[in-house]
């Protein structure tokens, strides 16, 4: 599957089969995560891999949204190491880029996954930190449930030209990018 197809067909998967995820596939997914850009190349992301069934159940109770971890083959706790932050305000953006890379790579590898928010909800962060026993300098950002999909979701077309503005903001119903590119095509055909 090429990169565009993986990005455009990836969906959040919350139900999984009992099939395990191999170490090789998991390493590839983590390699993709760590290839993400980060502020000043500080690479603040750290990952806790959770596979034990009871540990996944505990983790699934840390937030109201973490239930998919109960049936996942792998749970990933995505954290930031506060000791490496030269640009402290950007760690959540950096970790988000890593998570998106991870989810696209998982989909391209035949896995399904869902991103489960933790940060900025302090109670969720504390519950996750306790569940996986992180030290004080490690801050939980998000959870990811991974496994072989037990559900099939079709690609969703989410492109909305009205969300794109050209040169300046022209209001919510402004001149959209799609109409600009169509106009340029028309002019070039003339």
């Amino acid at each position: 599957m090429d990169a565009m197809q993986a990005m455009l067909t990836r969906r959040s998967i919350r139900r999984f089969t009992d099939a395990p995820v191999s170490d090789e596939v998991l390493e590839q997914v983590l390699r993709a995560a760590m290839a993400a850009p980060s502020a000043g190349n500080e690479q603040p992301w750290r990952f806790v891999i959770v596979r034990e069934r009871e540990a996944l159940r505990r983790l699934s109770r840390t937030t109201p949204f973490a239930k998919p971890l109960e049936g996942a083959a792998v749970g990933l706790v995505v954290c930031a190491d506060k000791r490496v932050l030269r640009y402290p305000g950007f760690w959540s953006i950096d970790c988000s880029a890593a998570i998106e890379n991870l989810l696209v790579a998982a989909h391209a590898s035949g896995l399904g996954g869902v991103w489960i928010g933790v940060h900025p909800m302090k109670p969720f962060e504390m519950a996750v930190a306790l569940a996986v026993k992180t030290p004080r300098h490690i801050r939980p950002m998000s959870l990811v449930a991974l496994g072989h999909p037990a559900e099939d979701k079709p690609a969703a077309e989410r492109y909305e030209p009205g969300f794109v503005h050209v040169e300046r903001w022209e209001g919510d119903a402004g001149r959209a990018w799609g109409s600009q590119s169509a106009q340029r095509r028309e002019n070039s055909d003339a």
Side-chain angles (χ1 to χ4, degrees):
M1 175 178 314
D2 73 15
M4 283 300 288
Q5 183 183 15
M7 287 184 280
L8 294 174
T9 60
R10 187 214 61 80
R11 298 292 307 275
S12 292
I13 301 298
R14 293 175 176 83
R15 292 190 352 241
F16 307 96
T17 70
D18 292 336
V21 172
S22 73
D23 288 345
E24 294 78 22
V25 171
L26 186 55
E27 181 179 328
Q28 284 303 107
V29 167
L30 289 168
R31 282 179 178 276
M34 293 183 212
S38 62
N41 198 30
E42 68 188 1
Q43 303 173 32
W45 42 71
R46 303 295 183 265
F47 302 88
V48 179
I49 298 170
V50 179
R51 291 186 183 206
E52 293 174 358
R53 194 60 28 219
E54 183 51 38
L56 285 166
R57 270 194 280 283
R58 261 193 325 274
L59 207 52
S60 77
R61 294 189 293 265
T62 57
T63 86
F65 315 108
K67 187 139 180 71
L69 286 161
E70 262 188 344
V74 177
L76 294 173
V77 183
V78 183
C79 305
D81 186 339
K82 295 188 299 186
R83 296 175 304 182
V84 303
L85 301 180
R86 295 184 315 264
Y87 307 98
F90 295 100
W91 68 269
S92 62
I93 296 169
D94 299 340
C95 288
S96 295
I99 294 166
E100 183 61 17
N101 274 16
L102 185 150
L103 289 169
V104 171
H107 174 59
S109 299
L111 298 178
V114 62
W115 183 341
I116 302 161
V118 172
H119 173 77
M121 308 301 291
K122 290 289 188 199
F124 298 173
E125 289 183 40
M126 290 172 51
V128 170
L130 285 171
V132 294
K133 298 179 176 21
T134 59
R136 293 181 72 78
H137 63 276
I138 299 295
R139 187 163 181 189
M141 160 62 184
S142 293
L143 303 168
V144 177
L146 283 178
H148 295 275
E151 58 184 328
D152 186 29
K153 292 184 175 180
E157 177 57 54
R158 295 182 177 158
Y159 180 71
E160 177 52 62
F163 292 174
V164 182
H165 299 267
V166 180
E167 306 300 338
R168 64 190 173 280
W169 189 271
E170 292 197 26
D172 289 338
R175 196 178 59 188
W177 168 252
S179 62
Q180 290 293 312
S181 58
Q183 183 67 39
R184 276 195 292 280
R185 281 192 303 275
E186 287 172 18
N187 291 341
S188 68
D189 291 341

